[in-house]
Structures are given as C-alpha cells and as structure tokens.
Amino acid sequence: MDFGSKIDLLWNSLPQLFDGLLVTVELTVGSAIFAFLLAVALGLAAGAKNVALRGSARVFIEFFRGTSLLVQLFWLFYVLPLFGFRLESIVCGILALSLNYGAYGAEVVRGAIASVPTPQLEAATALNFGYWQRMRRVIFPQAWAEMIPPLTNLLIQLLKGTALASYILLQDLTFQIEQLRRGSGDTIFAFGVGLVLYFVLGYVLTLLMNALEVRAKSRLGSGPTLREIFGLAPVFDQPVGARS
C-alpha cells in the first residue's frame, strides 16, 4: 500500500480512532479520580497511629503494588464471573487501574503528609484545631503541593496502562491502532500514529497537572500565579513569599 492510500485509510479511520480515544480518556479520567480518592484514604491510614488500621493499609498497598496490573485485569474480568460476579468491561478497567495506581499513590500521599514540618502541626494543635481541621487547613494544602509532581508521573503511567484494556474487550485507542495496522499492513505507520496520539494525551495531562501545581504553590505564597506566569498580573500582586 502506497503512502497516499495509507493517508486515505487514516482519514477513513478517524471516526474509529476518535471512539477509541474517547474510551481511553474515560478510562484515564475515571481511574484517576477513584485512584486519587483511594490513595488519600490509604495514605492517611498508612500513617495512622492505630496499628490495625495501619497494618491493613500496608497489606492492601503492598498487594496491589506487588502484583501485575494485567493479572489484576484478568482476575476481575475473567475469574470473578466464575464466582457469580460479572463486571462490564469499562467498569472492570476503571476498577483495576484505580486499585493498582491508588496503591502507588498512597505512598505519595503518605510521604507528602509526613514531610509537612512538625511545628506546623504543633501550631495547629495549639490553636485547638481538631484532626480534620488540622488536615484540611494546615497539613493537606502544604502536602498537596508536594504530591502533584509524583502524582503527575503516576497519571502518565496510568494513561499508558489503559493500553491493556484491549485484553478485556474494550475498543480503546490501542485496539483501534491495531485495526489500522491490519488495514494498512504497515506496523510503523499505524503505531507511529498511536505514538503521536498517546504523546498528545500525555502532554495535555502534564500541562493540566503543572497548572494545578502552580496554583497550589501560589496559594501557599511559594510561587507565582498563573496570571503572573502569562504576564496578566503586575508583579506587586505577587504573594510576598514568592517575591525574590
């Protein structure tokens, strides 16, 4: 097949590629949300004083970090039905990705919370803040700014992990790229298209997470705001802690 025919095939395959892209985005966004919620819960539990709670969190984290995502997908999709539990492909994919990357994210959350200086916690305690007040007003805002860079890496890994969804009969982006390869008979051409599409998705996610990081640091007074970065705000509006 000559290059012109490949371009025509790519053009005709755009609706299918777009459908696959939507499935990949759904998997990524849905899994990211649930993985983050799970990571926060497990991260707090892993740092708790209660031995039973801390131990249970550690077992959960190590189990899902220590086993293959592909094996987890197969268990949820192919083995659970043998016990009378059947999950839709999209639900199965989101669940497996959430459990796996939530376990990795839990260590990020635990480490970020532990990195908050002890005097900050002591000051909040002296102000008679309860546990959730200390967490919401003092600890988590500072830990959040520290979490974002490693969470960005995990999010990109999660995006790439969605490529396994074709094993559980989901017609995601990787599945559609494979169909393009079969139609064109050219592996380099088809997976070159896939390489570009995955790169664009990853880059967009990285930009969004970078924006979150800038906002988190600006709220702490340790960095410029987005408006200042893009030259939309005068320098005297910059937080005091961010001025040199």
Side-chain angles (χ1 to χ4, degrees):
M1 182 179 288
D2 59 29
F3 183 74
S5 299
K6 292 175 185 177
I7 296 299
D8 290 338
L9 177 61
L10 176 60
W11 179 260
N12 294 329
S13 300
L14 285 181
Q16 289 76 28
L17 288 172
F18 183 73
D19 289 341
L21 190 66
L22 282 180
V23 173
T24 295
V25 170
E26 288 175 4
L27 279 170
T28 303
V29 174
S31 301
I33 292 172
F34 287 110
F36 177 71
L37 296 175
L38 182 61
V40 171
L42 289 173
L44 293 175
K49 295 180 179 179
N50 185 287
V51 176
L53 182 60
R54 187 170 67 248
S56 299
R58 293 304 323 168
V59 169
F60 187 98
I61 291 169
E62 296 306 327
F63 176 81
F64 282 99
R65 288 201 310 169
T67 53
S68 167
L69 173 60
L70 182 59
V71 174
Q72 293 166 16
L73 276 168
F74 270 62
W75 263 87
L76 290 173
F77 191 72
Y78 294 108
V79 179
L80 274 185
L82 300 178
F83 298 95
F85 299 97
R86 183 175 297 277
L87 300 175
E88 294 292 332
S89 295
I90 189 72
V91 175
C92 179
I94 290 176
L95 180 59
L97 289 164
S98 299
L99 292 172
N100 189 274
Y101 287 96
Y104 283 99
E107 285 298 280
V108 173
V109 173
R110 184 192 61 80
I113 289 175
S115 71
V116 176
T118 302
Q120 297 280 341
L121 179 60
E122 293 173 346
T125 303
L127 291 171
N128 201 30
F129 283 3
Y131 174 80
W132 292 112
Q133 282 182 306
R134 294 197 301 269
M135 187 61 62
R136 182 171 60 88
R137 297 186 177 183
V138 179
I139 299 174
F140 198 83
Q142 297 180 70
W144 172 237
E146 299 298 322
M147 291 178 206
I148 296 178
L151 287 180
T152 301
N153 292 333
L154 281 180
L155 181 59
I156 300 304
Q157 292 293 331
L158 189 155
L159 168 64
K160 293 186 286 186
T162 62
L164 298 176
S166 56
Y167 286 106
I168 56 172
L169 310 182
L170 273 175
Q171 298 184 5
D172 66 327
L173 182 57
T174 298
F175 175 86
Q176 300 297 348
I177 291 298
E178 174 62 20
Q179 301 311 301
L180 180 62
R181 184 193 70 80
R182 293 180 180 180
S184 65
D186 190 331
T187 300
I188 296 177
F189 171 73
F191 283 94
V193 172
L195 192 71
V196 171
L197 291 176
Y198 273 107
F199 170 76
V200 170
L201 278 177
Y203 191 65
V204 169
L205 290 176
T206 300
L207 290 178
L208 292 175
M209 294 299 288
N210 287 346
L212 281 179
E213 183 181 3
V214 169
R215 184 174 185 273
K217 289 184 176 180
S218 69
R219 294 188 68 177
L220 293 175
S222 59
T225 65
L226 285 172
R227 292 183 63 199
E228 290 162 351
I229 288 176
F230 290 105
L232 301 177
V235 70
F236 54 80
D237 285 343
Q238 187 173 335
V240 174
R243 299 176 192 167
S244 58

